[in-house]
Amino acid sequence: MIKTSAQAMLSVNEKLKIQKNSIKNGNSKKRISIVTGTHGDELEGQYICYTLGKYLNENISRLNGTVDIYPALNPLGIDSITRGIPNYDLDMNRTFPGTESGTMPEMIAHEILEDIKGSDICIDIHASNIFLMEIPQIRISVPTAEMLVPYAKMLNVDFVWVHESATVLESTLAHSLNSSGTKTLVVEMGVGMRITKEYCSQLMNGIINLLVNLEMLKDVDVPQVREPVVSLDGAVGFVNSPSAGIFVPEASFGNIIEEGSIIGNVVNPLTAKITEQVTAPCSGLLFTLREYPVVYGGSLIARILRQNEGGSEK
């Protein structure tokens, strides 16, 4: 059933509506929420919403509980291919928990939060931006790790990044929901403005596995899920461009690379020379790689999950 979770009046007698597809069956009061579209240039979650809704409709008799699917928390951003909320120059994921009386984004954020609250679990799906490609991963802040890591391991991602950046994330949907008692997992995967079907299928299998483990799905084929690496901040190495130019990758994304191996070259189209050769500072999994070629000094090129570091575990 299509329901409106939040709404606000716009100019010229138009109305902004945040809608969800609420799929319910059976007597169980369990509810999970699948949330995406907070950033208008992140589209991987759109395909997840389609495939999950289709799967549940086809297997509705096997569902016991409620799955709320929110495909577009920022429909204006999606419509205009804008990361933030158009005309407000505002990142929606920096407006939570919002307020009952305030600007339109603040009121919408408040209504969205109140609608999702009470879910047993919320999965907040993001893509990367247009600059970087990310393998499927879940990011969790340190204070919530003990509570969330067991659920993260069910979602068929490659690794779980437990990070210290809580102060930066205090105005996000995930932080606000976790603070209110609604368990929320943040998924990052793929690249901005694109759909990576392989990654979407991987996460889709993880969501089915989660539903089965929550006893919300029965009599279905349970997909085999991978055991993710759980990593702390100290186990992640960052690689930044030493200079400006065009980055041309050489390493294979998603593979293990050795310390000192070539990740790619920064080239100068005018002089036809290699400006910098970018090498790996450590051995490990190349889980982030530059997708957009133009770089400046300090631009993020890659992230590497270090091997054999304290704080990483299977």
Side-chain angles (χ1 to χ4, degrees):
M1 179 184 295
I2 307 301
K3 298 181 178 179
T4 298
S5 302
Q7 58 184 343
M9 292 302 300
L10 299 174
S11 58
V12 201
N13 292 322
E14 292 182 320
K15 183 178 289 187
L16 172 65
K17 289 185 178 181
I18 311 300
Q19 295 182 301
K20 67 179 179 182
N21 184 3
S22 188
I23 303 175
K24 182 178 181 179
N25 189 64
N27 299 318
S28 174
K29 294 182 179 180
K30 290 182 180 178
R31 173 167 67 107
I32 75 165
S33 293
I34 309 299
V35 177
T36 192
T38 310
H39 296 128
D41 61 351
E42 298 180 0
L43 305 177
E44 304 280 9
Q46 302 296 303
Y47 191 66
I48 290 286
C49 290
Y50 161 73
T51 54
L52 179 60
K54 183 174 183 291
Y55 176 87
L56 292 175
N57 286 333
E58 292 172 351
N59 294 275
I60 191 66
S61 63
R62 297 178 171 89
L63 177 65
N64 188 22
T66 302
V67 180
D68 284 338
I69 301 174
Y70 300 75
L73 293 194
N74 179 15
L76 295 178
I78 293 175
D79 288 347
S80 59
I81 323 176
T82 305
R83 183 171 181 80
I85 301 175
N87 299 325
Y88 286 87
D89 192 25
L90 184 66
D91 184 337
M92 187 175 190
N93 212 27
R94 297 296 182 271
T95 63
F96 292 96
T99 61
E100 290 186 78
S101 57
T103 63
M104 184 272 283
E106 290 172 323
M107 289 189 291
I108 287 292
H110 172 77
E111 290 181 35
I112 289 171
L113 188 69
E114 292 301 311
D115 197 67
I116 298 173
K117 274 184 183 179
S119 301
D120 290 272
I121 294 178
C122 175
I123 302 173
D124 184 13
I125 303 173
H126 292 260
S128 184
N129 53 40
I130 63 170
F131 301 100
L132 302 167
M133 172 70 82
E134 303 273 6
I135 64 172
Q137 60 197 264
I138 290 176
R139 298 181 182 179
I140 296 172
S141 62
V142 171
T144 62
E146 184 177 354
M147 174 179 62
L148 296 181
V149 166
Y151 296 101
K153 288 182 176 181
M154 300 178 191
L155 282 172
N156 201 31
V157 295
D158 292 280
F159 83 102
V160 178
W161 186 358
V162 181
H163 58 81
E164 297 278 2
S165 308
T167 55
V168 178
L169 303 174
E170 286 180 355
S171 55
T172 63
L173 174 64
H175 179 85
S176 297
L177 284 171
N178 279 315
S179 298
S180 71
T182 299
K183 302 180 187 72
T184 303
L185 301 161
V186 177
V187 177
E188 294 267 356
M189 65 180 188
V191 66
M193 296 191 182
R194 297 291 183 272
I195 290 175
T196 312
K197 290 181 71 175
E198 175 189 354
Y199 292 165
C200 292
S201 296
Q202 181 178 334
L203 182 61
M204 174 66 184
N205 286 339
I207 293 172
I208 293 172
N209 182 61
L210 176 66
L211 289 169
V212 170
N213 276 274
L214 291 175
E215 299 182 342
M216 293 178 66
L217 267 182
K218 60 182 180 180
D219 301 328
V220 297
D221 292 330
V222 183
Q224 184 176 359
V225 298
R226 59 195 74 193
E227 177 75 12
V229 173
V230 180
S231 169
L232 301 179
D233 263 345
V236 174
F238 293 79
V239 182
N240 298 90
S241 178
S243 59
I246 301 296
F247 174 69
V248 182
E250 297 289 339
S252 296
F253 175 68
N255 288 350
I256 300 294
I257 60 173
E258 299 298 324
E259 181 177 354
S261 62
I262 299 173
I263 296 176
N265 296 309
V266 178
V267 303
N268 187 323
L270 180 62
T271 63
K273 293 181 179 180
I274 294 177
T275 306
E276 301 283 354
Q277 191 173 73
V278 182
T279 58
C282 58
S283 299
L285 174 68
L286 184 63
F287 72 89
T288 302
L289 186 62
R290 186 80 178 184
E291 180 80 7
Y292 188 74
V294 178
V295 295
Y296 301 94
S299 295
L300 183 62
I301 293 288
R303 295 189 190 100
I304 300 170
L305 180 62
R306 300 175 190 268
Q307 287 183 316
N308 304 319
E309 288 280 342
S312 295
E313 60 179 26
K314 282 285 190 181

